[in-house]
């Protein structure tokens, strides 16, 4: 008997639908027509044991117990899914062959592997376990995956990586949360001060941004423009580019800050000849944006629909599991397997028959192959795209419609021509000063036809500084050494602006592009196009957790740190509040999954660092927390007057 173990019931049912009928539904599993069985986990049905499992004395939070470092790690069944573990225990004993069908990512690999290990599968049977990778729950796609089973042992490094992450997060979260909560009690703070290797640096990003805004002092700077008139009466505007000699009068961002200098330039150029010194014309092409991974989709949905990350993830799960309209959503990849291109005609034809997407799909060319189709860029899973299933007869709510529409548009863009435009750059000499002007003229609108342009009025309402750029000027036909007239010079006085407060979109973007906030240059280079803060599957939950624990709050669309959040960051050592360490973790965890780094070489230094962090925390009292209170229990459940447990394996 073959036993398929899926990550969750929805995946189990999708696998069963692609296997021999008739089916017999039983509690916790499906019996197939050929005698094989499909069962499932319900997410993680095992979890890291609490500290008191290792020693009853750890029930009490005491500084002398810290750090707690298990010598022999233990997992325990989750109480709410214990019955499903019992079902799996029985089926595993009966099975001749096991097919691992966890989700195609690091956590999905561990989730089923840890069950197989916990149930003490015989070595010979364990060596024969197969791996089923499903990213599309429609029957035809599942059948394709069933025909391409792999050896599960090839994915063990991925599982070890997830295991290292789970244990490291437990060590870091349990020990530092207990340490700082106990220290906080000494100064009268009654809440739980949760610390995590991802959540805390995210909070640190917001706290530092708030500080930058609070401490910002706006200062004036000056720009000079020349209104140019040609012999035939045509006109355009050119901007002054200050020379190196002007640097004493400029700030670190090369903006002129001395008004008298700018006023002098205006006087010198008005009514003077303007000689064209350079004309460069180029035809440029812009490829369509890549299909979405989860973070890119969450960022786009936050910008357009003001949807928070957790809501977008939940909607994606519904579109994937319930409606089967999209492929696996917790993807960190924006590329597609080249084999997937064969499905394009069917998907495009299906969308073309829809009233909502018909016109866009009708103009798509399934024969085109964008740079998104690249096997070398695809890992365990690929970008989020529509499946072959039609949404025509499915009742989607407004949120589901909006997210599905974004995914469809991004997919269809892959089958439109590149956006082509002519770009002209002109340099002029006016009174010895350098002035530049540029213009873009669309040649082929291409994929941009799917993105209707905002009106200039709307652009100006949202950001006045972008209004001028939105209205790209027309440049007349010019040649080098043409002599034109600077009719007049114009002085533009502007004010420096503080950095923008974080929003859902920009905080997610910061987490995915964390290299911008990493101070170590070597690490910054490593992380430039790879790792982020957290994973696709955890980022939404991390942000949500910080709100629940009263560390973050919302003011309209803006996200700010609360007084408690600010005090916690001020209390912690700087290393714990910066993304450098967690970025290094992610780099190491990826290296483990690629067999470049061992489990022990990651865990041993971490344990040493943990001892140092606990010792450092015990040496000073967190005075910043005096007089502060938290709302209820900062996201932890109250149980009378009992001590609250520290969160296990939270990031």
């Amino acid at each position: 008997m073959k036993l398929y173990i899926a990550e969750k019931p929805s995946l189990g049912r999708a696998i069963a639908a692609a296997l021999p009928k008739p089916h017999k539904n039983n509690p916790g599993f499906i019996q197939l027509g050929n005698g094989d069985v499909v069962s499932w986990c319900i997410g993680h049905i095992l979890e890291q044991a609490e500290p008191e499992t290792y020693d009853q004395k750890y029930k009490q939070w005491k500084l002398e117990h810290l750090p707690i470092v298990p010598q022999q790690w233990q997992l325990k069944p989750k109480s709410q899914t214990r019955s499903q573990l019992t079902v799996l225990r029985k089926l595993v004993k009966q099975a001749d062959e096991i097919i691992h069908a966890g989700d195609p990512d690091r956590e999905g690999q561990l989730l089923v592997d840890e069950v197989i290990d916990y149930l003490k599968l015989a070595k010979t049977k364990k060596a024969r376990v197969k791996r089923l990778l499903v990213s599309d729950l429609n029957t035809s796609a599942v059948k394709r995956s069933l025909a391409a089973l792999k050896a599960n042992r090839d994915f063990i490094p991925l599982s070890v990586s997830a295991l290292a992450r789970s244990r490291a997060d437990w060590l870091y979260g349990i020990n530092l949360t207990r340490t700082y909560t106990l220290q906080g009690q000494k100064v009268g703070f009654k809440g739980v001060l949760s610390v995590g290797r991802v959540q805390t640096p995210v909070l640190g990003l917001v706290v530092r941004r708030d500080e930058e805004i609070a401490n910002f002092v706006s200062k004036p700077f000056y720009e000079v423009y020349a209104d140019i008139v040609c012999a035939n009466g045509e006109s355009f505007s050119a901007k002054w580019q200050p020379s190196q000699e002007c640097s004493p009068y400029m700030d670190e961002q090369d903006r002129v800050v001395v008004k008298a200098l700018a006023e002098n330039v205006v006087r010198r150029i008005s009514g003077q000849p303007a000689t064209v010194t350079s004309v460069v014309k180029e035809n440029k092409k812009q490829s369509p944006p890549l299909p979405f991974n989860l973070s890119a989709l969450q960022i786009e949905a936050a910008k357009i629909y003001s949807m928070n990350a957790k809501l977008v993830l939940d909607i994606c799960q519904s579109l994937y599991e319930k409606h089967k309209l999209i492929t696996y959503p917790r993807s960190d990849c924006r590329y597609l397997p080249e084999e997937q291109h064969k499905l394009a005609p069917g998907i495009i034809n299906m969308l073309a028959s829809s009233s909502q997407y018909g016109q866009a799909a009708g103009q798509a060319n399934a024969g085109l192959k964008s740079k998104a189709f690249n096997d070398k860029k695809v890992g365990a899973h690929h970008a989020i795209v529509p499946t072959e299933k039609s949404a025509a007869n499915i009742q989607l709510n407004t949120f589901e419609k909006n997210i599905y529409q974004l995914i469809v548009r991004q997919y269809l863009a892959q089958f439109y021509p590149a956006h082509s435009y002519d770009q002209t750059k002109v340099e002029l000499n006016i009174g010895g000063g350098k002035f530049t002007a540029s213009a873009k003229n669309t040649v082929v609108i291409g994929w941009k036809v799917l993105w209707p342009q905002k009106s200039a009025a709307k652009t100006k309402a949202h950001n006045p500084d972008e209004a001028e750029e939105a209205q790209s000027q027309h440049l007349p036909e010019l040649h080098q050494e043409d002599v034109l007239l600077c009719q007049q010079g114009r002085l533009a006085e502007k004010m420096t602006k503080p950095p923008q407060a974080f929003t859902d979109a920009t905080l997610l973007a910061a987490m995915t592009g964390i290299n911008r906030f990493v101070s170590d240059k070597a690490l910054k280079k490593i992380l430039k196009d790879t790792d982020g803060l957290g994973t696709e599957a955890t980022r939404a939950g991390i942000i949500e957790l910080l709100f629940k624990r009263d560390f973050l709050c919302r003011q309209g669309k803006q996200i700010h740190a609360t007084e408690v959040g600010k005090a916690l960051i001020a209390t912690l050592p700087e290393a714990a509040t910066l993304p450098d360490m967690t970025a290094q973790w992610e780099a190491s965890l990826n290296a483990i999954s690629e067999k470049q780094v061992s489990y022990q070489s990651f865990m041993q230094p971490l344990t040493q660092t943990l001892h140092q962090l606990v010792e450092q925390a015990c040496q000073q009292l967190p005075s910043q927390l005096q007089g502060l209170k938290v709302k209820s229990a900062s996201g932890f459940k109250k149980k009378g007057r009992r001590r609250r447990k520290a969160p296990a394996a939270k990031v």
Side-chain angles (χ1 to χ4, degrees):
M1 180 261 280
K2 287 183 181 178
L3 170 62
Y4 297 83
I5 304 178
E7 178 159 334
K8 52 182 79 73
S10 57
L11 177 57
R13 288 189 289 270
I15 293 170
L19 292 167
K21 295 178 174 60
H23 295 163
K24 182 181 178 182
N25 292 316
N26 298 280
F29 69 97
I30 299 170
Q31 187 89 36
L32 305 176
N34 62 356
D36 293 342
V37 171
V38 177
S39 188
W40 45 79
C41 301
I42 305 171
H44 280 281
I45 59 177
L46 297 169
E47 62 184 354
Q48 292 289 344
E50 295 287 352
E52 55 265 32
T53 304
Y54 298 100
D55 193 322
Q56 277 296 308
K57 69 181 183 182
Y58 295 145
K59 265 194 170 181
Q60 286 190 312
W61 290 25
K62 292 186 176 180
L63 287 172
E64 57 262 33
H65 295 159
L66 305 177
I68 301 167
V69 181
Q71 297 304 306
Q72 189 69 42
W73 287 89
Q74 297 180 39
L75 292 172
K76 67 174 185 178
K78 285 188 172 181
S79 57
Q80 62 268 40
T81 54
R82 189 181 292 271
S83 60
Q84 187 60 25
L85 182 63
T86 302
V87 170
L88 286 170
R89 187 189 303 275
K90 183 179 178 181
L91 292 172
V92 164
K93 286 181 180 179
Q94 297 171 349
D96 300 306
E97 183 181 351
I98 292 175
I99 292 89
H100 178 316
D103 281 350
D105 58 15
R106 190 166 74 190
E107 287 302 312
Q109 184 64 41
L110 175 63
L111 192 145
V112 177
D113 277 344
E114 66 186 6
V115 171
I116 291 172
D117 289 338
Y118 186 81
L119 297 178
K120 295 180 170 56
L121 194 67
K123 285 186 178 180
T124 53
K125 194 187 289 188
K126 187 176 178 181
R128 297 198 308 272
V129 174
K130 296 286 197 302
R131 183 66 164 99
L132 172 63
L133 298 165
V134 176
S135 60
D136 180 341
L137 295 187
N138 288 291
T139 303
S140 58
V142 175
K143 285 182 176 179
R144 288 193 294 270
S145 297
L146 285 164
L149 294 177
K150 302 179 186 298
N152 190 58
R153 62 177 175 270
D154 294 342
F155 297 85
I156 295 304
L158 201 63
S159 192
V160 173
S161 170
L163 183 65
R165 193 278 313 157
S166 176
R167 291 176 177 177
D169 281 338
W170 189 97
L171 287 170
Y172 194 83
I174 291 286
N175 286 294
L176 293 189
T177 295
R178 289 192 174 202
T179 301
Y180 281 95
T181 298
L182 290 169
Q183 288 293 89
Q185 289 173 2
K186 293 179 180 179
V187 296
F189 185 78
K190 296 181 180 180
V192 174
L193 292 169
S194 65
V195 180
R197 60 102 186 178
V198 176
Q199 61 165 287
T200 304
V202 172
L203 176 60
L205 287 177
V206 180
V207 169
R208 278 184 280 275
R209 178 62 59 85
D210 285 352
E211 288 173 351
E212 288 175 26
I213 295 169
N215 297 329
F216 184 83
V217 178
S218 184
K219 296 178 181 178
F221 67 96
Y222 307 92
E223 294 176 346
V224 176
Y225 293 88
D227 292 335
I228 307 297
V229 179
C230 304
N232 61 5
E234 290 187 274
S235 62
F236 63 95
S237 178
K239 184 180 179 182
W240 175 47
Q241 306 298 319
S243 65
Q244 188 64 36
E245 286 75 15
C246 297
S247 56
Y249 309 98
M250 299 163 70
D251 63 14
E252 64 280 358
Q253 295 183 17
D254 294 332
R255 294 176 298 207
V256 172
V257 293
V258 177
K259 188 175 184 179
L261 172 62
E263 288 174 331
N264 182 49
V265 173
V266 170
R267 286 193 297 270
R268 285 175 55 196
I269 65 173
S270 295
Q272 296 300 308
T275 304
V276 177
T277 57
S278 171
V279 179
V280 177
K281 292 183 180 179
E282 293 180 286
N283 179 260
K284 295 192 172 184
K285 292 186 177 180
Q286 189 178 354
S287 298
L290 293 168
F292 289 121
N293 59 16
L294 179 59
S295 290
L297 177 58
Q298 288 169 322
I299 291 168
E300 190 74 2
K303 288 178 180 176
I304 298 175
Y305 301 118
S306 299
M307 294 171 67
N308 66 54
K310 180 65 166 59
L311 177 58
V312 175
L313 176 57
D314 291 344
I315 294 302
C316 283
Q317 286 297 129
S318 175
L319 290 171
Y320 171 63
E321 293 183 12
K322 180 181 177 182
H323 302 304
K324 301 180 182 178
L325 292 175
I326 65 170
T327 57
Y328 178 69
R330 295 177 183 238
S331 173
D332 60 354
C333 176
R334 298 193 68 175
Y335 290 85
L336 296 165
E338 292 176 32
E339 185 74 15
Q340 229 265 357
H341 192 265
K342 294 178 182 177
L343 304 179
I347 295 173
I348 291 172
N349 288 337
M350 176 274 292
L351 293 169
S353 64
S354 160
S355 58
Q356 188 170 359
Y357 315 107
Q359 184 177 355
Q363 295 174 5
N365 179 0
L368 292 177
K369 196 171 187 179
S370 76
K371 64 180 182 181
F373 294 92
N374 187 338
D375 288 340
K376 293 179 181 178
K377 300 271 190 175
V378 177
H381 28 67
H382 58 67
I384 308 168
V385 295
T387 64
E388 296 163 282
K389 185 176 180 180
S390 172
N393 298 316
I394 299 176
Q395 290 294 322
L396 300 179
N397 61 40
T398 301
F399 291 133
E400 290 170 334
K401 286 179 183 177
N402 288 341
I403 295 300
Y404 185 59
Q405 185 270 332
L406 290 178
I407 294 168
V408 166
R409 181 172 68 175
Q410 206 84 357
Y411 178 73
L412 289 176
Q414 310 311 310
F415 306 99
Y416 274 71
H419 174 69
S420 174
Y421 61 93
D422 287 334
Q423 179 170 286
T424 303
K425 292 185 177 180
V426 177
E427 291 184 6
L428 306 102
N429 184 303
I430 310 173
K434 178 181 174 182
F435 286 74
T436 61
S438 63
K440 292 181 181 179
N441 295 310
T442 297
V443 177
V444 177
I445 191 167
W447 59 267
K448 283 201 172 186
V449 72
L450 300 175
W451 275 261
Q453 294 296 308
K454 294 179 182 178
S455 68
K458 188 173 181 181
T459 303
K460 188 172 182 178
H462 283 85
N463 190 338
D465 285 350
E466 292 179 5
E468 192 171 346
E469 294 179 17
Q471 298 170 318
S472 182
Q473 66 177 333
H474 169 74
L475 283 178
E477 186 70 26
L478 298 171
H479 303 91
Q480 193 169 343
E481 297 186 2
D482 282 353
V483 179
L484 315 175
L485 173 66
C486 173
Q487 193 171 50
Q488 66 176 17
R490 285 184 291 111
L491 177 66
E493 181 173 339
K494 299 183 178 181
M495 299 296 292
T496 57
K497 294 181 178 179
Q500 295 289 310
F502 278 116
T503 63
D504 283 286
T506 57
L507 187 54
L508 273 169
M511 292 174 75
T512 55
I514 199 61
N515 63 289
R516 292 182 290 126
F517 301 90
V518 172
S519 55
D520 183 274
K521 290 184 178 179
L523 187 59
K524 190 182 187 79
K525 186 177 181 182
I526 292 170
L527 296 179
K528 187 172 183 181
D529 294 310
T530 53
D531 308 312
L533 201 53
T535 67
E536 301 296 321
T538 62
R539 286 177 190 131
I542 289 161
I543 294 173
E544 198 70 17
L545 204 61
L546 290 169
F547 282 104
K548 286 181 179 178
R549 292 179 176 172
D550 194 33
F551 295 158
L552 293 181
C553 63
R554 293 185 190 276
Q555 295 177 13
K557 290 184 179 182
Q558 296 182 350
I559 295 174
H560 294 280
T562 63
E563 291 304 314
V564 173
K566 293 174 185 176
L568 176 58
I569 294 300
T571 299
L572 291 165
E574 187 179 39
T577 71
L578 294 171
D580 299 48
M581 181 190 69
T582 193
Q584 286 174 319
W585 277 31
E586 288 298 334
S588 296
L589 292 171
N590 279 345
I592 291 173
S593 69
E594 294 169 4
K595 302 186 195 178
Q596 296 172 354
V597 171
S598 71
Y599 168 87
Q600 286 298 340
S601 65
F602 170 68
M603 295 296 288
Q604 285 177 350
L606 170 65
T607 304
Q608 294 170 358
T609 301
L610 198 58
H611 279 85
Q612 295 168 2
L613 288 171
V614 170
E615 184 180 349
Q616 183 179 346
C618 292
Q619 290 174 354
Q620 59 184 36
L621 292 176
S623 57
Q624 298 90 341
L625 291 159
Q626 282 183 321
L628 295 181
K629 295 181 180 179
V630 291
K631 296 176 183 176
S632 84
S634 294
F636 294 99
K637 293 180 181 177
K638 279 188 173 181
K639 295 185 179 180
R641 295 180 62 82
R642 291 172 60 193
R643 289 183 184 271
R644 304 179 192 98
K645 289 183 179 180
K650 293 288 186 184
V651 294

